């Protein structure tokens, strides 16, 4: 590969590693602050929840909410760690090694995990937010949305790319051992 | 692999060092090392041609086939 292209890939990859490192801190901290300050935040910030809280949440609800949020946050962190590993390889000039393929596969599985986490998050968080409501006003929301289907499609695409990359790796290995 | 590269033998016969051969035929010492240590998966005919010219030998002097013993 031309030196210029490789140098460019390494430089850009190092910048992305900084971004991933920042997100690895920001995402869990933001999650923690969201639940810690839940009752003080504007109602608009809760619009993504499947159930809108009708009153301030109790301490137990806030703790359970934070724990349930670990599902999607955990998947995000796993994805960021995977991306960081992949871009670390790019920053070191390693493009078609076994490890690259492994990280691409992990990325594909991350998307699958995200679809599962999102599907589980919805009913769990709806129960947490509404379980102190009067009887008859407690809600259990179950859903599998179009975005989750798209996420699974993207997962499939990424796994196919990993497969193709593995073939690329074999070709490069063959090339490296051709004199 | 059952193909053996007898490059060390020819280099000794012609009293040539590996780095001299590498420079002569225009490949890196690392690539020549891949060939010498049997790690090469393929050899270009142009490389074989260059080695034979440099060492004044035949391809058969460099390559041998030694099948693995049957189990």
């Amino acid at each position: 590969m031309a030196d210029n292209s490789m140098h460019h890939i390494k430089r850009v990859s190092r910048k992305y590693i900084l971004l991933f490192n920042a997100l690895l801190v920001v995402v869990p901290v933001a999650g923690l602050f969201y639940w810690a300050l839940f009752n003080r935040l504007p109602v608009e910030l809760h619009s993504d929840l499947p159930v809108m809280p009708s009153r301030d949440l109790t301490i137990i609800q806030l703790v359970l909410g934070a724990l349930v949020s670990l599902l999607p946050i955990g998947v995000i962190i796993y994805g960021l760690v995977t991306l960081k590993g992949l871009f670390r390889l790019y920053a070191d000039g390693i493009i078609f090694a076994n490890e690259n393929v492994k990280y691409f596969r992990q990325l594909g599985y991350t998307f699958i995990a995200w679809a599962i986490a999102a599907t589980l998050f919805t009913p769990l968080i709806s129960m947490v937010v509404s379980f102190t409501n009067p009887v008859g006003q407690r809600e259990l929301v179950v859903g599998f949305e179009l975005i989750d289907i798209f996420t699974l499609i993207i997962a499939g695409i990424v796994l196919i790319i990993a497969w193709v990359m593995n073939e690329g790796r074999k070709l490069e290995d063959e090339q490296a051992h051709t004199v | 692999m059952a193909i053996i590269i007898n490059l060390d033998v020819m280099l000794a016969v012609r009293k040539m060092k590996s780095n001299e051969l590498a420079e002569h035929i225009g490949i890196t010492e690392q690539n020549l090392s891949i060939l010498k240590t049997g790690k090469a998966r393929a050899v270009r005919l142009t490389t074989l041609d260059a080695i034979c010219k440099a060492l004044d030998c035949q391809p058969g002097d460099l390559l041998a086939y030694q099948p693995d013993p049957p189990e």
Side-chain angles (χ1 to χ4, degrees), chain A residues 129-144:
Chain A
V129 169
S130 66
F131 84 76
T132 58
N133 287 358
V135 173
Q137 291 178 34
R138 295 172 193 163
E139 295 183 54
L140 172 68
V141 179
V142 178
F144 190 70

Side-chain angles (χ1 to χ4, degrees), chain A residues 106-122:
Chain A
Q106 269 177 222
L107 211 55
Y109 297 142
T110 303
F111 278 104
I112 294 173
W114 176 260
I116 295 171
T119 307
L120 290 174
F121 177 77
T122 303

